[in-house]
Amino acid sequence: MSFYYKKQLISGVNVPSEYTLAEYNNLTVKPQEWIRTDSPTENASKLLRLNDVNINNPTDNEVLAYDNILHKWTNQKASGGLVARIKVLSETGSTVTATKDATTITLVEVTSGVFQCDIEEYGTWVVSSTYDDFAIQESVVVDTAKVYTVTTNHFRASITVTYPSGATVSCSKIGQETQYADSNPYTFEVEESGIWTITTTKDGKSWTQDVVISTSGEEDDIESVPDGNTVTANDITYLLYCSEVFDKSYTTLSQILNDSDTLFAVINSENGIDYLVRSTSYASDIASNQTAMSVIGASDYASNTLLEDTTWRTALLTSSYASSIINTENPVMYGNTVPTGECSASSTNGSNSPYKAFNGSTSNYWEATSTTNSWVQYAFANAVKIQKCVITPNYVSSNLCAKNYKVQASNDNSTWVDLYTGIFNNANDETATIVFRNVNAYKYYRINTTDAYGSNRIGYKSIKFFGRQNGGIQTWLRAGGITNKQYTTLSAVLADTSTVATLMANNDAVDYLVTVHSWSSDICYNENAMQCIGANNYCANTLLADPSWLTDIYISENYYAYVLNVQTPMMTSNTTPSGEVFASSVASGQAYLAFDGYYETCVSIPNAVGNYIGYDFGSAKHMYLAVFQVENTSGTTYKLQGSSDGTTWTDIESFSSDSFIPNSLPINDTYRMYRFYQNSKTTNNANIDYYDITLYGRQDV
């Protein structure tokens, strides 16, 4: 084995003998500087060993240089001149060239992302790296035999910022030079991934927005608006800016309240509401302003967000204009189940029935037979969100009155959730108005007395539950893309025929509308609205698929036909004017009499399991509703069935009819034939009398 050493230590550098010169900036070594020996020298501490030199009998024209790619010393040039190497670190798959004058060399990718070539000529070389159609150029001055390393960065992304007039905007990231916008909108070009911060300053107010850049080529667009959840609260300027109102220089809340356009902009901005809910110092003044309360009530987001905060909830629900926010309450009851819902109690003393706590009068009352854990409740027809309660206990004497109580809620009338705990003051004519947080909808609400003044009995003169369900006019309008109408009531919208037409033709607006059952009656009794519903298939079919909307569409007198545009005709025989009436058998009359449109005529079908009567449209029809009137059916159950071929029948609904009144069944299915099939018999009547059957459906327009 031969060993090579440099004759002298590198000036000023103490290099251990077993280290290679690779540790010291790719130095080159000429042959006259070497010592060759077949055994390690004893004087190695004064010499530098050249490891892995693959050269035999070098000449004066040869130069050694350390190759950082191969990790060894190599003979760079066998015949005079100088050899260097350019190494480029770039994305795998890049195209990399080095050019000097008319000479262009294509670099070879020796390992993933590492490109190199040998350079045999001094001078300035232009290195070009192209990746994903994006080229980068760097100049390299080659003046000695060593490896010249070039690192390229093809990462490019952009952040386009639209910002308020008169503001200054910058884009920054730790370790990167800050850029400043000089036009509006302005596109910042960024050269690495990570979090870039956009800082905006206007009229002395500053805010930041972070933009996360993940991939090269990413293009982000943002609008510079302060975050309502983070900037300093209770500042009018920030309130305006959060609401994207940049053209007003208001400094007081009263200025906003007196400007309806600005007020609408603030309350209908979700970011503005996020800021407002944190600015509790404004709650009292806004709750005292009728216009502001109307606008809040017209926005689901504004109402629901503000009602989540204790200060805002108290201000809004105890305001003189609270009715703008509240759209749900228990009705005035005239009996335990009249007109809707149901009143009940833990016990009842004499004629002091539960409904008397909900009849709107303080001249009578519900009274229990005991005190502790005595409760009275109201069950809504559907689950609602109650957040306010007004209670007047029945004060008989100082030792005959409710004391401690809870407002409780349940969805199964078994498991109860405490919403509020309070105490009465043992005073005559005391009325407690309480508000509480409730994020869930419940069907059952009750007042549960947990302790009393005295040990005899307690009662309540009046209880009223109040709450809010979704039903914001502005929410509906904005779902339909309408932002320039300041309506806050349904009647105002219905009076604007073009707006109604726009809403009924917009799928997002329809998706919102179908959830607001409290509007269905007023809309279905408006002819223009019904025409617009009928003219838009998505709207019509969406509303018809909802049982509540289906019912109101059907009972809308002469307007239902705009939407339910298919129905069984008034038959004058089993086959005229169209389709065919069929029955299993007939005891008296003719089958078509059940479909002739007259309640005075009927067909009698023998009372037996398996008998039926129906109608064949001749082709498939999508039906939504069956309305029928039968007699002598006590205890009999039926199935409404559909078929496409008269052989295979599918059950649509099962039902019973025990009285001679019109009944209705939702269908929402497509068949050619529909029939009423007798499923059971528990009556002694010989026949079932069918007075009227009408099927209603829709064919898309």
Side-chain angles (χ1 to χ4, degrees), residues 514-570:
V514 73
T515 67
V516 188
H517 296 139
S518 60
W519 293 349
S520 61
S521 179
D522 289 340
I523 288 177
C524 292
Y525 276 90
N526 183 282
E527 184 173 10
N528 174 64
M530 290 291 280
Q531 286 178 317
C532 293
I533 292 171
N536 292 279
N537 294 324
Y538 182 84
C539 181
N541 292 321
T542 299
L543 297 181
L544 287 171
D546 182 90
S548 295
W549 277 95
L550 173 63
T551 298
D552 280 340
I553 288 171
Y554 166 68
I555 65 175
S556 61
E557 297 182 345
N558 297 325
Y559 304 147
Y560 76 87
Y562 290 122
V563 184
L564 291 166
N565 56 14
V566 175
Q567 68 181 75
T568 48
M570 296 176 64

Side-chain angles (χ1 to χ4, degrees), residues 10-31:
I10 300 175
S11 177
V13 179
N14 183 18
V15 182
S17 61
E18 295 302 317
Y19 278 52
T20 72
L21 293 181
E23 303 285 342
Y24 296 93
N25 300 321
N26 301 317
L27 296 178
T28 60
V29 183
K30 292 185 177 181

Side-chain angles (χ1 to χ4, degrees), residues 287-328:
S288 300
N289 184 282
Q290 185 174 9
T291 302
M293 289 290 284
S294 296
V295 180
I296 292 172
S299 167
D300 290 337
Y301 188 85
S303 296
N304 295 334
T305 301
L306 295 176
L307 287 173
E308 276 293 288
D309 179 82
T310 301
T311 300
W312 278 99
R313 182 168 57 247
T314 300
L316 297 180
L317 296 184
T318 59
S319 164
S320 301
Y321 309 111
S323 59
S324 297
I325 309 295
I326 293 167
N327 58 15
T328 299

Side-chain angles (χ1 to χ4, degrees), residues 383-411:
V384 297
K385 188 187 293 184
I386 296 299
Q387 294 171 297
K388 176 182 177 180
C389 187
V390 179
I391 315 169
T392 302
N394 183 38
Y395 178 88
V396 178
S397 64
S398 60
N399 63 352
L400 199 62
C401 182
K403 183 180 181 182
N404 298 328
Y405 67 96
K406 293 181 178 180
V407 179
Q408 297 178 313
S410 174
N411 271 320

Side-chain angles (χ1 to χ4, degrees), residues 264 296 621:
F264 264 81
I296 292 172
K621 303 292 182 185

Side-chain angles (χ1 to χ4, degrees), residues 29-105:
V29 183
K30 292 185 177 181
Q32 59 266 33
E33 298 177 309
W34 305 347
I35 295 176
R36 178 178 177 178
T37 179
D38 292 332
S39 61
T41 176
E42 297 178 358
N43 207 14
S45 61
K46 295 182 179 180
L47 301 173
L48 291 178
R49 180 175 173 179
L50 307 181
N51 293 341
D52 303 319
V53 175
N54 299 326
I55 300 175
N56 291 317
N57 302 316
T59 69
D60 287 345
N61 291 327
E62 292 175 325
V63 177
L64 286 182
Y66 190 82
D67 189 322
N68 277 327
I69 302 300
L70 301 176
H71 301 292
K72 63 196 304 184
W73 290 86
T74 60
N75 181 12
Q76 296 293 309
K77 180 82 173 162
S79 59
L82 174 67
V83 170
R85 176 164 292 167
I86 293 179
K87 179 174 70 174
V88 177
L89 306 180
S90 187
E91 285 79 5
T92 298
S94 298
T95 299
V96 185
T97 61
T99 301
K100 181 179 181 296
D101 300 328
T103 302
T104 298
I105 303 173

Side-chain angles (χ1 to χ4, degrees), residues 145-182:
K146 70 175 185 178
V147 177
Y148 294 86
T149 301
V150 177
T151 301
T152 63
N153 177 17
H154 289 91
F155 191 100
R156 289 294 185 275
S158 65
I159 304 171
T160 299
V161 183
T162 301
Y163 55 92
S165 176
T168 59
V169 179
S170 66
C171 177
S172 62
K173 183 178 185 292
I174 295 175
Q176 296 291 316
E177 183 178 353
T178 300
Q179 304 176 56
Y180 294 90
D182 58 13

Side-chain angles (χ1 to χ4, degrees), residues 251-570:
T251 58
T252 65
L253 180 61
S254 61
Q255 290 174 300
I256 295 177
L257 294 176
N258 290 327
D259 180 345
S260 62
D261 291 339
T262 299
L263 181 61
F264 264 81
V266 169
I267 293 176
N268 285 289
S269 164
E270 291 189 5
N271 191 48
I273 290 298
D274 290 343
Y275 182 82
L276 194 61
V277 73
R278 298 169 51 235
S279 303
T280 54
S281 65
Y282 301 149
S284 178
D285 288 341
I286 288 179
S288 300
N289 184 282
Q290 185 174 9
T291 302
M293 289 290 284
S294 296
V295 180
I296 292 172
S299 167
D300 290 337
Y301 188 85
S303 296
N304 295 334
T305 301
L306 295 176
L307 287 173
E308 276 293 288
D309 179 82
T310 301
T311 300
W312 278 99
R313 182 168 57 247
T314 300
L316 297 180
L317 296 184
T318 59
S319 164
S320 301
Y321 309 111
S323 59
S324 297
I325 309 295
I326 293 167
N327 58 15
T328 299
E329 59 186 76
N330 59 280
V332 174
M333 299 297 288
Y334 303 103
N336 284 339
T337 58
V338 181
T340 61
E342 182 177 4
C343 304
S344 58
S346 55
S347 64
T348 298
N349 186 29
S351 62
N352 299 312
S353 300
Y355 82 89
K356 292 184 178 180
F358 300 94
N359 67 358
S361 171
T362 57
S363 61
N364 49 39
Y365 52 87
W366 161 78
E367 189 172 64
T369 58
S370 59
T371 56
T372 303
N373 295 323
S374 293
W375 51 263
V376 61
Q377 72 182 37
Y378 177 77
F380 288 87
N382 300 294
V384 297
K385 188 187 293 184
I386 296 299
Q387 294 171 297
K388 176 182 177 180
C389 187
V390 179
I391 315 169
T392 302
N394 183 38
Y395 178 88
V396 178
S397 64
S398 60
N399 63 352
L400 199 62
C401 182
K403 183 180 181 182
N404 298 328
Y405 67 96
K406 293 181 178 180
V407 179
Q408 297 178 313
S410 174
N411 271 320
D412 59 7
N413 203 22
S414 176
T415 302
W416 293 87
V417 175
D418 294 341
L419 299 177
Y420 182 87
T421 299
I423 183 170
F424 293 115
N425 295 321
N426 199 17
N428 194 21
D429 296 327
E430 176 186 1
T431 295
T433 298
I434 56 175
V435 296
F436 42 85
R437 184 173 185 267
N438 179 18
V439 297
N440 298 311
Y442 297 98
K443 182 175 180 179
Y444 302 90
Y445 289 87
R446 73 182 184 183
I447 306 300
N448 185 11
T449 305
T450 58
D451 195 11
Y453 295 102
S455 59
N456 196 345
R457 59 188 183 274
I458 57 92
Y460 290 93
K461 290 183 176 181
S462 177
I463 299 172
K464 193 74 171 180
F465 294 115
F466 300 93
R468 178 180 175 83
Q469 303 298 102
N470 280 351
I473 291 298
Q474 283 294 316
T475 303
W476 185 30
L477 292 172
R478 288 165 192 269
I482 300 173
T483 60
N484 62 342
K485 305 288 186 179
Q486 295 186 1
Y487 300 145
T488 59
T489 63
L490 180 60
S491 60
V493 174
L494 293 177
D496 184 341
T497 56
S498 63
T499 293
V500 172
T502 299
L503 291 169
M504 299 308 180
N506 183 283
N507 290 0
D508 290 336
V510 171
D511 289 342
Y512 180 79
L513 179 63
V514 73
T515 67
V516 188
H517 296 139
S518 60
W519 293 349
S520 61
S521 179
D522 289 340
I523 288 177
C524 292
Y525 276 90
N526 183 282
E527 184 173 10
N528 174 64
M530 290 291 280
Q531 286 178 317
C532 293
I533 292 171
N536 292 279
N537 294 324
Y538 182 84
C539 181
N541 292 321
T542 299
L543 297 181
L544 287 171
D546 182 90
S548 295
W549 277 95
L550 173 63
T551 298
D552 280 340
I553 288 171
Y554 166 68
I555 65 175
S556 61
E557 297 182 345
N558 297 325
Y559 304 147
Y560 76 87
Y562 290 122
V563 184
L564 291 166
N565 56 14
V566 175
Q567 68 181 75
T568 48
M570 296 176 64

